[in-house]
Amino acid sequence: MTAALAMSSVVAGCGAGNSSDSVAAPAPTTTTVVATSSAAPPVGTDTVALPTFDPYADLPLVDHVEWTESVDGPRLLVYPTTAGRRTTSAGNEERAWQEVLAHSPDAETPGMRDQFVCHWDWARLVQPNKPSWNLEPWRPAVGYQGTVAASCNPGGPER
């Protein structure tokens, strides 16, 4: 039984129809859907705007670096400035890495940049007051994703 026929039977059964036994099917209806677009996000949608002005643009991001020796081998301690800890502007991780290399050109070894960017991206959030970010050239170069998966310390934890 079609929906129209079923509806007409219900209407007829309720006594709301013609007194004759024949019941006319209801007239078809149409619905028009109008698509609209809006520049504003839907209500309840959170949006984050990236800063358009970098208040730290002219400030150093790395205060200094210091090479030390650990039981595992050499370690470069990177001491970020307040600006280095607080900036959120895109591209500043590369500017900061260049500052590390300006302080210590021998930091340019496989895996060291990935360790640095991992600290830049994650350690600043998880441990914002950690005095230094420790980078070790003896750690295996596993790419950025592998470095992140190893909590910035591929090859095992610091000793």
Side-chain angles (χ1 to χ4, degrees), residues 74-99:
R75 176 175 291 155
L76 180 63
L77 309 180
V78 177
Y79 294 89
T81 63
T82 299
R85 293 178 188 281
R86 293 185 180 167
T87 185
T88 58
S89 295
N92 276 340
E93 74 282 352
E94 183 58 32
R95 181 166 71 97
W97 176 243
Q98 293 305 315
E99 289 180 27

Side-chain angles (χ1 to χ4, degrees), residues 76-156:
L76 180 63
L77 309 180
V78 177
Y79 294 89
T81 63
T82 299
R85 293 178 188 281
R86 293 185 180 167
T87 185
T88 58
S89 295
N92 276 340
E93 74 282 352
E94 183 58 32
R95 181 166 71 97
W97 176 243
Q98 293 305 315
E99 289 180 27
V100 169
L101 296 178
H103 287 289
S104 182
D106 50 344
E108 184 71 85
T109 63
M112 290 281 278
R113 184 181 186 284
D114 289 332
Q115 290 177 55
F116 176 79
V117 175
C118 183
H119 281 81
W120 182 267
D121 289 344
W122 301 105
R124 291 190 317 156
L125 299 173
V126 177
Q127 292 180 296
N129 297 318
K130 185 179 180 191
S132 67
W133 302 333
N134 304 334
L135 315 177
E136 294 91 8
W138 50 266
R139 291 191 178 278
V142 296
Y144 176 75
Q145 294 300 326
T147 303
V148 171
S151 299
C152 303
N153 295 309

